[in-house]
Amino acid sequence: MTARNITRFWEWGRKIICVGRNYADHAKELKNAVPTEPILFLKPPSAYVTEGSPILVPLYTSNLHHEVELGVVIGKGGTAILQSEAMEHVAGYALCLDMTARDIQDECKSKGLPWTLAKAFNTSCPVSEFISKDRIPDPGNVKLWLKVNDQLRQSGCTSQMIFSIPYLISYISDFISLEEGDLILTGTPKGVSAVQEYDELQAGIEDVVTMSFKVDRQDN
């Protein structure tokens, strides 16, 4: 079998595991309780979109929000991974957006239903180029930012995360075996807000990477 290219993980990775409310200020801005253990949800690989293609607003939402996040790309699979060994399973990172149909999420939450329609639609996971591990020596101290039409909306640091990357890898792998090419979205800082058709989103990890995406409307 041909060796798979981890730098193009979005072409063959099998799952995207997302962590909700991993920054206390973001939980509070949406009037949610600060979690005592990680909140997990999934996106399918069809959620991936890379630069050059637009983010498509689903027809069923009128309140699409941006959430900028550090993504962790798994390079070595495992189950019940120890925290002390977790970073050995990391191949690198990516800057990611967790696009969220907030109105649909609120409706699902009020009915006690899963968030799938709000989180897992096509183009709901824009990603940057692959970032090798050596370019982010301390993933627990990474500054993230996001602008909409050149206006700063989100600015935060992974040092504000409630649950660390090693903890998340260990916790997730107790329930869901991790595989090479999987992506973990580690949560978003405060400042989420709505985007509209024709908006341009720019996001970055300070001194490491930037990316930009245009917002378009899904065709009927």
Side-chain angles (χ1 to χ4, degrees):
M1 186 175 109
T2 308
R4 291 177 293 194
N5 183 354
I6 196 70
T7 68
R8 299 184 70 82
F9 62 91
W10 58 83
E11 292 182 345
W12 52 271
R14 281 158 50 96
K15 57 187 177 289
I16 304 165
I17 303 158
C18 309
V19 181
R21 303 177 200 162
N22 198 23
Y23 290 73
D25 286 347
H26 170 61
K28 290 171 186 170
E29 75 178 342
L30 295 182
K31 298 180 172 55
N32 291 315
V34 176
T36 55
E37 61 180 337
I39 297 168
L40 304 180
F41 59 95
L42 301 174
K43 291 179 186 269
S46 50
Y48 280 127
V49 61
T50 55
E51 280 190 283
S53 296
I55 296 166
L56 297 176
V57 182
L59 296 171
Y60 53 78
T61 182
S62 57
N63 193 18
L64 183 66
H65 277 206
H66 57 76
E67 300 188 2
V68 66
E69 316 207 359
L70 178 66
V72 178
V73 181
I74 298 299
K76 183 174 79 170
T79 305
I81 296 165
L82 297 175
Q83 265 194 79
S84 59
E85 298 174 0
M87 296 308 293
E88 297 169 22
H89 292 259
V90 175
Y93 305 94
L95 180 61
C96 308
L97 303 182
D98 170 15
M99 301 304 297
T100 302
R102 192 73 68 202
D103 48 351
I104 305 303
Q105 184 186 33
D106 289 345
E107 190 179 314
C108 291
K109 281 161 60 179
S110 71
K111 295 177 180 176
L113 297 174
W115 302 351
T116 305
L117 286 178
K119 292 281 195 179
F121 53 88
N122 291 349
T123 76
S124 63
C125 189
V127 293
S128 72
E129 65 190 51
F130 175 80
I131 303 163
S132 60
K133 216 169 168 179
D134 58 8
R135 292 177 63 199
I136 298 183
D138 182 5
N141 190 27
V142 170
K143 292 180 180 172
L144 309 170
W145 57 268
L146 180 138
K147 296 178 180 178
V148 178
N149 303 327
D150 285 326
Q151 291 191 326
L152 186 66
R153 298 280 182 90
Q154 289 187 272
S155 179
C157 183
T158 56
S159 62
Q160 300 163 328
M161 292 196 303
I162 298 167
F163 305 107
S164 70
I165 289 168
Y167 183 89
L168 291 172
I169 289 170
S170 177
Y171 181 88
I172 291 166
S173 69
D174 279 345
F175 306 101
I176 304 169
S177 293
L178 292 172
E179 302 168 286
E180 182 187 9
D182 285 350
L183 180 70
I184 299 172
L185 298 192
T186 57
T188 194
K190 67 178 180 180
V192 302
S193 64
V195 298
Q196 314 293 334
E197 186 179 4
Y198 308 122
D199 281 350
E200 182 160 350
L201 278 60
Q202 300 157 310
I205 296 173
E206 191 173 274
D207 301 325
V208 177
V209 74
T210 60
M211 65 181 187
S212 65
F213 287 88
K214 285 192 161 55
V215 179
D216 206 344
R217 195 88 199 172
Q218 184 181 333
D219 291 332
N220 288 320

